[in-house]
Amino acid sequence: MRRSLRTALLMALLTGIAAPAVAAPRSAISLDDGWQARIAPSDGTAVAAHRSEARWFPAKVPGSIQQDLIARHRVPDPFLSTNEAAIQWVGRTDWQYRRTLQVTPALLARDHLDLVFDGLDTFATVTINGQTALSAANAHRRFRIDAKRFLKAGANEILITFAAPIRTLQPMVMAQQQSLPGEYDSAFGDEPKGRQTSPYIRKPKYHYGWDWGPRILNVGPWRPVRLEAWDSARINTLRVEQDALSDAEARLSAKATIQADRPGIAQVRVTLTAPDGARQDVVQQITLAAGANAVSLPITVARPERWQPVGYGTQPLYRVTAALTQDGTATDTAERRIGLRTVELIRGGGAMGFRVNGIPIFAKGANVIPFDSFPTRVTPASMRPLLTAARDANMNMLRVWGGGYYLDDAFYDMADEMGLMVWQDFMFGGSVTPPDAAFRETVRIEAEEQVERIGNHPSIVLWSGGNEILAGWENWGDRKAFKKAVGADEQERIGAGMAVLFDRVLRDAVLTRAPGTPYWPGSPSTDYDGPVDTDAAGDRHFWDVWSGSKPVERYLDSCPRFMSEYGFQAMPDMATVRAFAGKGPLKPDSVVLKAHQKFLAGEGNDRLLLYMRDRLGEPRDIADFVYLSQVNQAEAIALAALHHRSCRPVTMGSLFWQVNDVWPSISWSSIDHDGRWKLLQFAARRFFAPQVIVAEHTESTTRIALVSDATTPTPARWRVRAFDMAGKPLAEQGAAATMPALSATDVAKLDDATLFAGADPATSYAMAELLVGDAVVSRAMIERGVPKTMHYPDPGLSATWDGNRVTVRATALARAVMLDFGDVGAHPSDDGFDLLPGESRTISVTSKASPKALAAALTLRSLGSRR
């Protein structure tokens, strides 16, 4: 102990004055266990209707009251059968959570005891020993309570009262002559049509229901709760800014905010650990003032290793640790993992795209919606297969859609490691936003917290204001009617409020906390540079196909600058269907299937049938319905994605809607909620391959284009071979070609008369192939009619098993081969492929079922097998 400190302690003992204690390290005590819940006694109607739930029962934190009631079998699982309606009362009810906190004299001796809630969903009042300590109203924020003044030695009660969101907001909404336009009307009568409360609340929008998910208004502490003890000062935030990056060096600034309760001297040590484990330290002595203290320490990295998107290099990661020391004692630490890279938005002349480390990268990928209706069920282990599947399907970008919630750090950690670029929306899902300053203020805090939390991840290459807010305000019919109804002054007030929110508040959060990452005001957008959601500029959401019932060939009409949304629905596999629908007979219009089809309020299966009948024919049974829907989805999205890639450099991105599901449903996903790949996900691996051949047949001509994502020229050869249905060759054309780096190149236009030698369109086809060396790296089927008009032969499919490997052979053309295992869950390594006469393919099958059971369950489907 230093002499001055010993002297101070001695004088304090002699005079009876309390001596300042030596600062101890900040400690955190998890408060995630020991909670109970009940209906709030003030909710008399609910108490009378649900007396069992009016008594205290064990509750899980983090979690939601809905999950507790499902676990206790007090409500049925809403993911099964038609149970969604039976859980609606839970989200309309006021609830309470309580926990006893034992506080020791040693804890009370600490300078600060902070009660920290990482997430409260949503209208929550926290009392400690009967005294109100917090009123919260934003599920996307963290709340910190200075709790020491409320606590005492011994037992302390923490009580959280959650008010039902609809009941809280509905009087205000109903009092308005014109309420703000929202997203999707309730199917359960709890809100009048067109009178939604969701625009006014900072809560995950998808909880109110979407056209792919259920209406489950979660209530509860949905993220961890803890008690933090600290003395005099703590590290509040840490981020690392990249000031300059070259091949010779990187110049970084480690920026910390130190929260201090009194003046003092401290030391901050920043340690950078390189990918190879080498370390370097920077130390700075600081003079603290009471309040927030900004500290910046420079770091220079010689010969930096750059983080690269997948397909363009490796993903080296650096670790930066900050340590706060007071009076020789380390009192707090914070850590960030970073990657060194530059990101620019390609703009000019309407362009939209990404340049990473100087390389213009065509963005290939999909949109990500929340992983589950109940966020606390999502774990790193449950997220990893999806990100791995994206990478394995040659995707390099995922867009985190704005109607959900900010994902856990583990998602971005995995994206960093896999080289997946992330387009990150702020959490705005489509509704018009309130124009008042109080709303913008809570969003400002939310945005700054979230950018501080995840903004250092190199995978995040764009922050976007949200989903379809600005485009809806400009283009949608209900918004135009609303603007007319409220008049010019109110229209201006609301429009100006959105401009301030998306052009200033959110942009400032990114500029000040993640300055190396671009900001985009929303999706779709032009960054306030002309009309939105057009092919001419910015990013595009294209829904003429599917939502507009237009033919899939409409995808070929134009070259958008960046396609950030387009989609086509399909059924999940039968194993997934049976898991939620049971074993009874099923038809497309069965009640249970309509309950799990949210498009057009349950009538979306008619849209599936419309496209099936137009392109493939009438389904024979439910299994055929599943198969045809997946074929249609895979071929429609492949047509669009390949066209987008062939439009490079005019088009610089193609993100289809959507990769995952929030519950077991009939939707646009390429991977269903049970993790099973639809044929689209397998197709994505082919149409997003690094080099592809594009064959677009329109009228009587086939356009052949070669696309390469390689950063160096690639020697290759292309060929197109035409056959009749008996497998007889009709004609062949092709040539050697060198694909330029990062390019799409038209190499031929082939007329039908030459290519097919006068053969009947219904009885002939062609296969386009791209060869690099001796390997066929990409192939594309060319047909002159939709599949239902083609006279496919019986393909003569057979399967030969060797353990968990099956070899599928075809004696004649086999179009869109599907390995259908029925009710048995199985994941083949490839699916949905074409086989030319005499070809075979060996596939590994992952399943809990035995090889014998798999062989017994397997049905080989193809379009020709249906004849």
Side-chain angles (χ1 to χ4, degrees):
M1 187 179 294
R2 293 184 306 177
R3 180 182 300 274
S4 59
L5 184 57
R6 289 201 306 268
T7 302
L9 289 173
L10 179 60
M11 290 300 296
L13 289 172
L14 292 174
T15 60
I17 300 173
V22 176
R26 174 162 63 161
S27 61
I29 302 170
S30 173
L31 302 182
D32 288 347
D33 60 347
W35 290 90
Q36 296 177 308
R38 69 176 180 183
I39 296 173
S42 57
D43 193 342
T45 301
V47 168
H50 305 279
R51 294 196 178 277
S52 176
E53 285 67 47
R55 297 186 293 271
W56 291 110
F57 56 88
K60 187 176 180 181
V61 173
S64 68
I65 199 69
Q66 283 88 346
Q67 291 168 263
D68 293 321
L69 296 179
I70 294 168
R72 289 169 55 81
H73 305 290
R74 300 301 301 172
V75 295
D77 187 340
F79 284 19
L80 302 180
S81 189
T82 58
N83 293 340
E84 181 188 355
I87 204 170
Q88 296 305 308
W89 70 271
V90 182
R92 302 171 190 164
T93 299
D94 298 341
W95 295 90
Q96 288 185 329
Y97 282 71
R98 75 174 181 185
R99 185 193 194 280
T100 299
L101 172 62
Q102 294 290 337
V103 176
T104 65
L107 268 179
L108 281 177
R110 299 297 299 269
D111 287 355
H112 298 275
L113 295 176
D114 290 353
L115 187 58
V116 183
F117 296 93
D118 283 340
L120 294 169
D121 194 358
T122 293
F123 293 117
T125 300
V126 179
T127 64
I128 302 174
N129 294 327
Q131 299 182 72
T132 300
L134 172 70
S135 292
N138 187 330
H140 300 299
R141 281 180 52 184
R142 171 183 293 152
F143 294 94
R144 178 181 291 271
I145 302 170
D146 181 3
K148 184 175 179 179
R149 57 198 173 103
F150 300 109
L151 296 171
K152 64 182 189 299
N156 297 261
E157 184 187 65
I158 302 171
L159 181 71
I160 314 172
T161 301
F162 289 95
I166 292 176
R167 181 186 301 159
T168 300
L169 292 170
Q170 203 162 54
M172 177 269 293
V173 172
M174 298 304 294
Q176 296 180 354
Q177 189 171 0
Q178 297 288 335
S179 59
L180 294 174
E183 289 98 3
Y184 291 90
D185 286 324
S186 173
F188 300 103
D190 48 2
E191 292 184 298
K193 302 295 184 184
R195 289 285 189 169
Q196 299 170 16
T197 58
S198 64
Y200 302 89
I201 189 173
R202 292 307 295 147
K203 174 181 177 63
K205 298 298 184 184
Y206 79 107
H207 287 177
Y208 289 83
W210 218 266
D211 58 2
W212 36 254
R215 185 177 176 92
I216 302 177
L217 292 168
N218 288 359
V219 175
W222 73 286
R223 289 200 183 276
V225 183
R226 63 188 175 278
L227 185 70
E228 289 190 0
W230 58 283
D231 300 318
S232 71
R234 61 178 172 84
I235 300 174
N236 191 37
T237 63
L238 172 67
R239 68 178 187 275
V240 183
E241 292 186 6
Q242 180 182 286
D243 303 316
L245 177 63
S246 69
D247 292 340
E249 68 174 17
R251 294 197 300 274
L252 313 176
S253 296
K255 297 194 171 184
T257 303
I258 311 296
Q259 189 69 32
D261 61 6
R262 56 184 177 268
I265 303 297
Q267 182 188 84
V268 176
R269 177 185 298 271
V270 170
T271 302
L272 181 137
T273 305
D276 64 0
R279 293 158 56 98
Q280 62 172 295
D281 293 330
V282 179
V283 180
Q284 183 174 311
Q285 184 169 292
I286 58 174
T287 300
L288 296 173
N293 298 261
V295 182
S296 181
L297 279 73
I299 309 171
T300 300
V301 183
R303 298 180 300 279
E305 299 180 59
R306 292 180 187 245
W307 182 93
Q308 299 281 9
V310 62
Y312 294 86
T314 59
Q315 293 77 44
L317 297 168
Y318 293 76
R319 194 171 299 277
V320 177
T321 304
L324 177 67
T325 300
Q326 298 170 270
D327 296 322
T329 300
T331 57
D332 204 1
T333 61
E335 189 172 271
R336 289 286 182 265
R337 195 173 66 166
I338 65 170
L340 305 178
R341 87 292 187 264
T342 60
V343 180
E344 308 165 69
L345 275 185
I346 300 171
R347 301 301 313 280
M352 164 89 182
F354 294 88
R355 186 179 289 112
V356 182
N357 296 320
I359 301 172
I361 294 178
F362 190 99
K364 306 178 297 185
N367 290 259
V368 174
I369 63 172
F371 287 77
D372 199 279
S373 291
F374 304 111
T376 54
R377 296 207 297 209
V378 180
T379 65
S382 63
M383 289 189 289
R384 183 172 291 278
L386 188 90
L387 277 79
T388 302
R391 181 199 60 195
D392 291 350
N394 293 306
M395 298 183 192
N396 59 28
M397 176 174 280
L398 295 172
R399 174 187 171 222
V400 178
W401 169 79
Y405 60 93
Y406 303 94
L407 297 174
D408 291 345
D409 296 77
F411 174 88
Y412 306 97
D413 286 337
M414 287 184 277
D416 292 344
E417 294 159 7
M418 296 183 193
L420 290 169
M421 297 182 291
V422 174
W423 169 318
Q424 177 66 51
D425 279 3
F426 285 101
M427 290 301 116
F428 291 90
S431 61
V432 175
T433 54
D436 57 282
F439 181 84
R440 290 196 297 274
E441 178 61 13
T442 190
V443 170
R444 179 192 66 79
I445 299 169
E446 163 198 323
E448 291 177 356
E449 286 181 352
Q450 295 295 344
V451 178
E452 289 274 11
R453 180 175 69 90
I454 60 176
N456 268 142
H457 287 278
S459 55
I460 299 179
V461 297
L462 185 75
W463 284 90
S464 169
N467 178 73
E468 297 182 346
I469 300 98
L470 304 177
W473 182 249
E474 185 173 308
N475 296 327
W476 294 358
D478 66 329
R479 271 59 168 167
K480 292 179 179 180
F482 171 80
K483 288 186 280 190
K484 182 178 180 180
V486 299
D489 290 346
E490 184 66 2
Q491 175 183 334
E492 174 64 22
R493 188 173 80 93
I494 294 171
M498 286 193 289
V500 172
L501 178 62
F502 294 104
D503 194 32
R504 283 173 45 191
V505 173
L506 298 180
R507 191 187 299 273
D508 286 350
V510 177
L511 288 175
T512 57
R513 286 159 173 79
T517 303
Y519 173 77
W520 195 242
S523 184
S525 172
T526 58
D527 201 4
Y528 299 100
D529 186 22
V532 301
D533 205 14
T534 72
D535 288 330
D539 67 312
R540 184 90 207 269
H541 291 190
F542 184 80
W543 287 103
D544 286 5
V545 177
W546 184 261
S547 295
S549 300
K550 302 300 184 189
V552 298
E553 288 75 20
R554 287 289 294 271
Y555 286 131
L556 305 179
D557 287 353
S558 62
C559 292
R561 309 314 298 262
F562 192 108
M563 187 68 83
S564 50
E565 269 195 32
Y566 62 101
F568 201 98
Q569 275 201 1
M571 293 283 290
D573 280 2
M574 280 304 302
T576 300
V577 172
R578 287 301 182 190
F580 74 75
K583 296 189 177 297
L586 292 172
K587 300 183 297 181
D589 62 353
S590 293
V591 172
V592 67
L593 293 188
K594 292 175 71 172
H596 287 254
Q597 164 64 275
K598 294 300 183 179
F599 180 66
L600 294 180
E603 301 302 325
N605 290 343
D606 288 343
R607 189 65 49 86
L608 285 171
L609 284 167
L610 181 151
Y611 278 104
M612 270 182 219
R613 290 163 177 160
D614 182 54
R615 298 182 59 78
L616 303 176
E618 192 73 22
R620 297 174 175 176
D621 53 29
I622 192 63
D624 197 36
F625 182 67
V626 168
Y627 167 66
L628 293 181
S629 74
Q630 291 199 20
V631 171
N632 245 353
Q633 181 192 42
E635 298 201 346
I637 300 303
L639 181 73
L642 288 167
H643 179 69
H644 299 154
R645 296 188 69 188
S646 75
C647 287
R648 181 176 187 159
V650 173
T651 305
M652 285 301 291
S654 182
L655 309 179
F656 66 76
W657 185 269
Q658 64 211 54
V659 69
N660 62 320
D661 274 329
V662 75
W663 77 319
S665 65
I666 304 161
S667 79
W668 296 266
S669 69
S670 59
I671 302 175
D672 70 32
H673 189 259
D674 289 351
R676 298 186 177 97
W677 289 24
K678 299 180 185 178
L679 296 186
L680 170 57
Q681 185 68 17
F682 293 99
R685 189 165 58 197
R686 295 187 280 272
F687 61 67
F688 281 151
Q691 285 88 29
V692 293
I693 189 168
V694 180
E696 293 179 351
H697 184 272
T698 54
E699 297 180 351
S700 59
T701 303
T702 299
R703 170 195 176 216
I704 303 296
L706 307 181
V707 179
S708 176
D709 290 337
T711 56
T712 57
T714 304
R717 182 165 56 93
W718 66 271
R719 69 185 180 201
V720 180
R721 295 180 291 162
F723 305 90
D724 67 14
M725 289 300 174
K728 175 185 175 183
L730 299 175
E732 180 174 343
Q733 297 192 43
T738 296
M739 294 184 287
L742 306 169
S743 68
T745 308
D746 283 13
V747 294
K749 285 193 174 180
L750 309 176
D751 64 273
D752 285 357
T754 302
L755 178 58
F756 292 98
D760 183 346
T763 59
S764 59
Y765 64 94
M767 181 66 78
E769 295 174 310
L770 174 64
L771 295 90
V772 176
D774 294 329
V776 176
V777 299
S778 175
R779 65 196 314 192
M781 179 68 65
I782 304 170
E783 295 170 322
R784 287 176 285 171
V786 294
K788 74 174 185 180
T789 67
M790 303 298 293
H791 295 172
Y792 298 126
D794 184 330
L797 290 171
S798 63
T800 304
W801 286 86
D802 179 12
N804 68 338
R805 293 166 60 85
V806 59
T807 298
V808 179
R809 292 182 174 84
T811 58
L813 172 68
R815 280 281 281 117
V817 177
M818 180 184 190
L819 284 70
D820 184 354
F821 292 94
D823 298 353
V824 177
H827 182 82
S829 59
D830 198 8
D831 213 351
F833 46 82
D834 298 324
L835 292 176
L836 295 177
E839 286 187 338
S840 65
R841 187 160 305 185
T842 298
I843 295 153
S844 299
V845 182
T846 303
S847 177
K848 295 180 180 178
S850 67
K852 183 177 180 181
L854 290 172
L858 176 62
T859 298
L860 292 175
R861 299 186 182 275
S862 76
L863 295 179
S865 301
R866 303 181 67 254
R867 303 300 182 191

